[in-house]
Amino acid sequence: MNGNARLEMRFQVNGNDFIQAGEASSKIKRTLQQIGIDSRVIRRVVISSYEAEMNITIHAYRGEILFTIWPNLIQIVAQDEGPGISDLEAAMQEGYSTAPENVRQMGFGAGMGLPNMKKNTDEMQIETEEGRGTRITMKIYL
Amino acid sequence: MTLSEIVRQLDLKVLTFMPENDLEVRYGYASDLLSDVLGQAPPGALWVTLQCHPNVIAIASLLDLSAVLLVGGILPDQATLERGQETGVTILSTELPTFEIVGRLYQLGLRGSTRSCLDG
C-alpha cells in the first residue's frame, strides 16, 4: 500500500512530555513547506497532527505519529498505548474532556481536540480499546 | 497596521525579538484555550493570552501567528523564551488585562476572526 508513497515520516511521542510535544507537527510543517504544499492545506494538516500529538502527550503512555504523503493524499496516523477512549460519542462532542486539572490549567483539555481534527480532515477513523490504546487515521486529499 | 507600529502605540514590551521584516497585522485573537486558538485564530493573527508555556510558542509557530501578546504583566519562564527565540516567534507583554488591551488593539484597526476571513 505504501509502495508509491512520495514521503513517509515516523515520530515517537512520549506521554506527559510537554516540552517535546509539538515537534512532530513542526517537522511535518517544514517538510510540507519544502515540497510546496498549499498553505491552507498545511494549516489543516498541522492543526490535526498537533491535536493528535497533544492527545498522546496528555492521555497516553507513549505513541507515534505516522505521516505519509501520496500524490493525491496526506495521511496522519496517531497510535498510542494508553487508556483508550471509553465513550467515543461523548469524546466527539465539543467541550467533553477527560484531561486532568493540571493540563487544563495550561489551556489544554477544552474538549475541542477531536472535533478540530474531524473538521480539518476529509476522513477520520478512530479505533480504540479500553486499557489498550487508540489509533486515529486521518486523511486529507490534495 | 504593522507589528512595530502596534508595539510603539501600545507601549508593549518585546521579550524575544521583532521580525526582520515588519509584518502587517490585520487580525487578533484572544483566548487561553489552546485548541480554540488552533481551530479559530486566523493566519497572521496577534494572539492575546495569559498562557505562557512553551506549547503556546509551538502553536504560534505552527499557525504562523504574527506574535504572542502576554497580558497582565505576565513574564514567561526561560524555556518559553528560548522556544520563542528558536522558532522565531515574537513574544510581547503588556501590563494591561485582556479586556483593556483587546479594546485598544481594536481601536488600532485590528479585527477578530470570522468564518469568511478564515475561508478567504
Side-chain angles (χ1 to χ4, degrees), chain A residues 19 29 43 51 106-107 116, chain B residues 34-35 41 53 61 64 83:
Chain A
I19 296 297
K29 181 187 175 191
R43 184 183 162 88
E51 293 285 15
M106 293 170 76
N116 263 354
Chain B
L34 306 187
S35 281
H53 50 80
S61 169
D64 294 319
R83 185 68 68 92

Side-chain angles (χ1 to χ4, degrees), chain A:
Chain A
M1 178 193 173
N2 291 352
N4 61 346
R6 206 170 143 189
L7 184 78
E8 235 175 343
M9 297 164 93
R10 182 185 292 259
F11 304 94
Q12 301 300 316
V13 180
N14 298 317
N16 217 25
D17 183 350
F18 284 88
I19 296 297
Q20 178 219 37
E23 259 176 39
S25 303
S26 158
K27 286 179 183 154
I28 288 170
K29 181 187 175 191
R30 224 172 304 142
T31 303
L32 291 176
Q33 283 175 325
Q34 278 162 3
I35 60 176
I37 300 292
D38 182 271
S39 64
R40 280 165 298 189
V41 173
I42 294 179
R43 184 183 162 88
R44 292 170 58 206
V45 171
V46 299
I47 290 171
S48 310
S49 68
Y50 186 83
E51 293 285 15
E53 242 187 301
M54 290 319 305
N55 276 349
I56 296 174
T57 306
I58 293 167
H59 297 285
Y61 313 120
R62 67 189 68 82
E64 59 180 4
I65 306 276
L66 304 170
F67 175 77
T68 318
I69 309 177
W70 285 272
N72 302 313
L73 172 70
I74 290 175
Q75 180 178 273
I76 305 160
V77 178
Q79 50 193 17
D80 67 54
E81 292 167 42
I85 303 169
S86 60
D87 188 344
L88 194 51
E89 205 182 315
M92 291 306 298
Q93 311 273 325
E94 281 198 26
Y96 178 88
S97 175
T98 58
E101 182 55 32
N102 63 323
V103 170
R104 287 177 201 248
Q105 279 173 7
M106 293 170 76
F108 293 111
M112 295 164 81
L114 290 174
N116 263 354
M117 287 151 72
K118 188 161 179 61
K119 261 183 234 161
N120 282 284
T121 54
D122 294 310
E123 285 177 36
M124 180 164 106
Q125 189 198 357
I126 304 179
E127 300 151 85
T128 186
E129 198 183 327
E130 260 194 280
R132 295 290 294 271
T134 301
R135 172 159 62 218
I136 303 181
T137 305
M138 294 175 280
K139 293 179 176 168
I140 291 175
Y141 292 102
L142 297 171

